[in-house]
Amino acid sequence: MMQTTTSKNAGVSSGGAIASFFRATEIDTRLLGMVGALLIIWVGFEILTGGLFLTPRNLWNLSVQTSSVAVMATGMVLVIVTRNIDLSVGSILGFTGMIMGVLQAKLLPGILGFDHPATWVLALGGGIVVGGLIGMFHGAIIAFLNVPSFIVTLGGLLVWRGATWFVTSGQTVAPMDANFRLMGGGTEGSIGWTASWVVGVIACIGIVAGIIHSRHQRKRFGFPQRPLWAEYFLSALGCFIVLGAVAVANNYFWPTNIARRYADANGIAWPDGGLLISHGVAVPVLIALGVGLIMTFVATRLRFGRYVFAIGGNPEAAELAGIKTRWVTVRIFAIMGILCAIAAAISTARLNAATNAQGELDELYTIAAAVIGGTSLAGGTGTIAGAMLGALVMQSLQSGMVLLGIDTPFQRIVVGVVLVVAVWLDTVYRARAK
């Protein structure tokens, strides 16, 4: 009897300590579950691939490949939170990518000349404007004509994919402007060893400053504060993750042939062990992180973000409260279109070409990333960070299966199963929460 009682008390105290830890640090348990699932996927593929998955090269490529879907997933969170859906994001990506390709490869060189420094800016700006207008058009039909978003965006999926073909009659447009290509990553589209550490240190300072600011705001408005040890723990954890990611990026070096050409062009003697030049953090990764920070600020700090979640929680109550729900819907889809154009710039720059097949099935990966990241299809719940982490999970699955040599049809089967399981887990979580 004594042994049984002691073991039960030990279990209760252990469970109480864990619960107290999560209450003190305010860590989102769903997000923590996502991190755990990601680590299991990484370790599993590391074992199955014989140590190829967790190499700096593969992790660097993984971060670049995740960037375009992660950018679109941040907007998909707002769409799904309001109980809508957008099936046209892949087609919008392909269409805006083709527009940007035609602008910089065919139209602007005839006006400004080749290699003009403003070419990439005008091409990117043109794509963003087109993407925003398309999203606004979709949102207006949904909001003012009361056509379900599923039907509108399904039509958009077909229309804009067909329009992509008509822009160039099915021809691939290449090459892209040299400055534009920097947004796609590669040896030139990375910021190097020194700049990566500078960015990492700035990010750590931002993390610490954000935690301090949050503490001051809680004290100012009389909200309960986290214990000091929890603040120190969160600061240390955030800085560890950032600096660890930078270290991995800096441990991926230029290929030998490219490094040798660089050495010959700059009169650098070739050392016996070879010339080790770090890629550093890739530009598309910085773009995705920047978009994530901006969208997090919009969703959590602006009145517009509060309106979005209010509409998702109860559309009728939001309407009665005076929120202009129709215009909020138009703005959400306009933002989604802009984010599709940014993702198109990353994808087009990485391929160094605009193709008709660009963005196919990206709508599946984007929706899956948002749902896996904790965005509820019932509306009212979702986080930007969770969606970006979901995009990383989806790309990790795809990257690991490619390394294992698994055929594309089976990869799609796995993605479909994961999406269904994620929705089922969301249903279970909401049922338990009630």
Side-chain angles (χ1 to χ4, degrees), residues 41 45 53 58 62 65 69 360-362 365 391-406 408 411-412 414-415:
I41 291 171
F45 280 129
F53 189 83
N58 188 63
L62 179 62
Q65 293 163 358
V69 173
E360 285 189 353
L361 291 182
D362 273 9
Y365 292 106
L392 183 58
V393 169
M394 296 298 298
Q395 190 58 50
S396 297
L397 286 171
Q398 189 173 10
S399 176
M401 288 187 288
V402 169
L403 288 177
L404 291 174
I406 296 175
T408 300
Q411 293 180 28
R412 294 178 178 178
V414 172
V415 171

Side-chain angles (χ1 to χ4, degrees), residues 128-339:
I128 289 175
V129 170
V130 171
L133 291 175
I134 291 174
M136 189 179 299
F137 178 63
H138 288 176
I141 296 175
I142 295 166
F144 292 99
L145 299 183
N146 296 320
V147 181
S149 60
F150 181 89
I151 299 301
V152 173
T153 57
L154 178 60
L157 181 152
L158 301 173
V159 168
W160 303 117
R161 181 61 62 189
T164 303
W165 189 91
F166 276 108
V167 171
T168 59
S169 299
Q171 297 178 356
T172 296
V173 178
M176 301 295 103
D177 180 76
N179 293 321
F180 185 86
R181 288 199 302 269
L182 298 179
M183 290 186 288
T187 54
E188 296 180 352
S190 305
I191 62 176
W193 190 91
T194 303
S196 296
W197 283 118
V198 170
V199 169
V201 171
I202 293 174
C204 290
I205 293 173
I207 290 171
V208 175
I211 290 176
I212 293 174
H213 176 72
S214 175
R215 188 172 183 84
H216 287 167
Q217 289 295 96
R218 290 183 176 213
K219 182 178 180 180
R220 176 185 175 187
F221 293 103
F223 293 158
Q225 298 186 16
R226 289 187 293 253
L228 279 176
W229 67 264
E231 307 280 21
Y232 293 142
F233 172 79
L234 293 174
S235 300
L237 179 63
C239 293
F240 174 78
I241 293 173
V242 168
L243 297 179
V246 171
V248 170
N250 280 337
N251 276 310
Y252 176 41
F253 303 106
W254 287 14
T256 303
N257 293 335
I258 297 177
R260 187 179 291 276
R261 287 199 298 268
Y262 176 82
D264 294 340
N266 292 274
I268 301 174
W270 188 259
D272 294 335
L275 189 62
L276 300 180
I277 304 176
S278 296
H279 279 82
V281 180
V283 172
V285 176
L286 293 177
I287 294 173
L289 293 175
V291 169
L293 289 174
I294 294 172
M295 291 299 292
T296 299
F297 179 80
V298 169
T300 60
R301 299 296 181 183
L302 295 184
R303 183 184 301 173
F304 172 77
R306 293 196 294 270
Y307 287 171
V308 169
F309 282 88
I311 293 171
N314 192 324
E316 293 78 13
E319 185 79 31
L320 293 174
I323 297 175
K324 297 179 180 179
T325 56
R326 293 182 176 181
W327 284 110
V328 172
T329 300
V330 172
R331 292 172 186 172
I332 289 171
F333 279 89
I335 291 173
M336 188 73 252
I338 291 172
L339 293 175

Side-chain angles (χ1 to χ4, degrees), residues 63-105:
S63 67
V64 173
Q65 293 163 358
T66 304
S67 299
S68 60
V69 173
V71 167
M72 293 190 292
T74 62
M76 189 62 72
V77 171
L78 302 185
V79 173
I80 297 178
V81 160
T82 55
R83 307 184 184 185
N84 290 300
I85 200 72
D86 194 340
L87 302 176
S88 64
V89 293
S91 297
I92 296 175
L93 184 152
F95 182 72
T96 54
M98 185 62 73
I99 293 295
M100 287 186 280
V102 169
L103 283 174
Q104 61 191 295

Side-chain angles (χ1 to χ4, degrees), residues 359-377:
E360 285 189 353
L361 291 182
D362 273 9
E363 54 276 347
L364 168 64
Y365 292 106
T366 303
I367 294 171
V371 173
I372 290 173
T375 304
S376 175
L377 290 173

